[in-house]
Amino acid sequence: MMDRYIEQFPVVINALNIGFLQTLKLFLVTLIGALPLGLIISFGSRSKFIPLKLLVRFIIWVVRGTPLMIQLLIIYYFPGLVFHNNIWGGQETGRFIATSVAFIVNYSCYFSEIFRGGIAGIPKGQDEAGLVLGLTKSEIFFKVKLLQMVKSILPPISNEILTLVKDTSLARIIALQEVIWAGQAFMKGSQGISGEIWPLFFTAIYYLIFNGILTVLLGKLEKKLEYFK
Amino acid sequence: MSILEVSHISKSFDRTEVLKDICFSLNKSDVMSIIGSSGSGKTTLLRCLNFLEEPDTGVIKINGEKIYDAKDQEYLSEAAKRSNRLHFGMVFQSFNLFPQYTALENVTLAKELHAKREPDFKAHKKDVLEAIREEGKALLTQMGLADRFDNYPHQLSGGQCQRVAIARALAMKPDILCFDEPTSALDPELTGEVLKVMKELADQKTTMIIVTHEMSFARDVSDRVLFMDDGYILEDGTPDEVFNNPKEERTAQFLASFNS
Ligand SMILES: Nc1ncnc2c1ncn2[C@@H]1O[C@H](COP(=O)(O)OP(=O)(O)O)[C@@H](O)[C@H]1O
Ligand SMILES: [Mg+2]
């Protein structure tokens, strides 16, 4: 009995590592895309040009009001079903790009709302102090307000980041070969192992360790920004 | 010749006229105090001088040269306002220091950013930045903060913060330094140290406009006193004229409220 697990373990770990690499890639691509895009969207949702503001806020409302899983399914299948043109292709790369698009769109909307709150929370006096010193709007944003905003939004952003780690598992729905997919493969049969459910359960350890590391890193960053109030 | 000429400035918020046909001029090296009850338009007047608000009507001239004309689009662009407002330094009631920068960085930040816009900045980067830092240190030292260069605003008392704010405004070498109730947010025991540096600036012939409720200070340092009421300038004269022989009944009432 024990022998069987000892035999399976390296094979499974190897497969899960490969799967987790894909998970990690999706996580990073989403962050790198959604953080700046979220900032741009937050400017749109604060725009003085009312039609733009309403449009952006409507999009945010739709994206935040529907499950990420459905967004992912729509983005992946819609072009193929409706236009008979599967722009993503059937390959792993295509699935990864489709997943990334869905995740970036979804998370940038969540981030944008956090950014919007963060920008609005900075006292007007900071803008005015910058203005009377002859600074430009962009200098005021990048040199005066950005770091204050980062400090104030770090706790909610950290929350979203930890959620994102777990949300990457949704990519399983379009068969992206991330860590859950890799674990599940051993139920159906893969590399001479079949009917095993423990690899699927074991994937939880990956999420746990990764989120643990992120929690420590984000906590450190928060500490680092405690030098000012 | 007067350094500042303000003519026929008015300003409304949602149809309420807050400044009404404001006219005055100011001589170089003079200190002008603006007194008046809360809501009389003092803050709005200062904010119009540095274009945090746009006056609806009127003209502002510095050394005889127009820097604002409500009728002329040329003065309304962001770039025009940005360069013209540098004639005025501004010290706010609530300091508005940048919390993530040290006292010295608060003083040097704008200078550095201005320097970076110069085309030959890269060539002289080190010298330019060093000169800006030295200037900043000198200003903070002048403000009695020689031992506070590296403190962040939250590590400073209100009086120290306000002195950093004064140094920050002086760093831009404004023609006229404006104060909006600089001691109103301070504990009473801290107002003295701020008034003291302002007095020193006055003695060094800094041109200043000071909105204040510190009547004895205003009487002491001012060459000119304006009394504002309901958006009008009701008195414009020497401290002696305004405090001892006010023309208007309203002024006497206002001053009496301070003596009781
Ligand atoms: N941004 C604004 N919007 C609307 N009303 C304003 C605004 N700023 C000032 N006011 C009004 O203008 C009047 C003068 O205000 P203010 O200049 O702050 O007076 P003071 O500084 O003398 O107390 C007040 O009635 C105030 O409510
Ligand atoms: Mg005021």
Side-chain angles (χ1 to χ4, degrees), chain A residues 153-173:
Chain A
I153 65 175
L154 202 54
I157 289 281
S158 299
N159 252 331
E160 288 299 327
I161 289 176
L162 298 183
T163 306
L164 169 60
V165 173
K166 295 173 282 175
D167 272 358
T168 54
S169 63
L170 289 172
R172 165 72 193 81
I173 200 72

Side-chain angles (χ1 to χ4, degrees), chain A residues 124-126 128-137 139 142-145 147-148 226-229, chain B residues 47 50 52 78 82 85-86 90 92 96-101 109-110 113-114 117 152 154 168 172:
Chain A
K124 257 186 79 193
Q126 293 290 303
E128 295 184 346
L131 285 175
V132 297
L133 294 167
L135 305 189
T136 62
K137 290 235 161 83
E139 284 170 340
F142 286 106
K143 296 292 178 174
V144 174
K145 298 203 294 185
L147 194 62
Q148 296 180 45
E226 270 171 18
Y227 76 90
F228 71 91
K229 283 199 181 101
Chain B
R47 291 171 61 85
N50 53 35
L52 290 178
E78 281 302 314
R82 191 165 61 243
R85 63 164 51 106
L86 284 174
M90 181 75 177
F92 299 91
N96 298 346
L97 291 181
F98 307 131
Q100 74 271 41
Y101 292 117
L109 177 72
L113 292 174
H114 282 264
R117 293 187 209 142
Y152 290 92
H154 78 272
R168 180 175 70 174
M172 303 310 293

Side-chain angles (χ1 to χ4, degrees), chain B residues 37 227 229 234-235 247-255:
Chain B
S37 50
F227 172 65
D229 188 54
L234 285 195
E235 308 271 351
K247 286 182 289 191
E248 305 279 338
E249 177 63 14
R250 189 66 198 88
T251 319
Q253 277 173 7
F254 172 76
L255 291 171

Side-chain angles (χ1 to χ4, degrees), chain B residues 2 45 65 71 76 97 103 131 146 152 216-218 222 229 249:
Chain B
S2 47
L45 175 55
E65 210 172 302
K71 286 208 276 297
L76 301 179
L97 291 181
Y152 290 92
S216 57
F217 174 76
S222 307
D229 188 54
E249 177 63 14

Side-chain angles (χ1 to χ4, degrees), chain A residues 25-139:
Chain A
K25 227 169 85 187
L26 177 59
F27 170 79
L28 288 175
V29 165
T30 304
L31 270 194
I32 291 167
L35 284 170
L37 184 60
L39 190 60
I40 293 168
I41 294 175
S42 75
F43 291 144
S45 70
R46 285 168 58 83
S47 173
K48 288 195 187 102
F49 182 56
I50 306 292
L52 176 66
K53 180 172 104 173
L54 292 180
L55 177 70
V56 170
R57 292 207 178 173
F58 177 76
I59 294 170
I60 293 173
W61 176 70
V62 170
V63 170
R64 298 210 315 161
T66 54
L68 173 53
M69 186 189 280
I70 294 189
Q71 293 163 17
L72 180 55
L73 289 171
I74 290 174
I75 284 178
Y76 185 60
Y77 288 113
F78 196 78
L81 288 176
V82 177
F83 305 112
H84 305 288
N85 173 18
N86 184 357
I87 53 171
W88 311 112
Q91 304 303 310
E92 178 74 359
T93 317
R95 283 197 293 270
F96 182 79
I97 295 171
T99 312
S100 302
V101 170
F103 272 69
I104 288 173
V105 168
N106 182 277
Y107 269 84
S108 59
C109 285
Y110 278 93
F111 287 151
S112 82
E113 286 295 277
I114 297 175
F115 290 147
R116 184 159 72 90
I119 298 170
I122 296 174
K124 257 186 79 193
Q126 293 290 303
D127 280 284
E128 295 184 346
L131 285 175
V132 297
L133 294 167
L135 305 189
T136 62
K137 290 235 161 83
S138 92
E139 284 170 340

Side-chain angles (χ1 to χ4, degrees), chain B residues 174-189:
Chain B
D175 295 307
I176 301 166
L177 187 54
C178 301
F179 297 79
D180 190 7
E181 300 193 32
T183 58
S184 291
L186 299 178
D187 295 332
E189 72 270 21

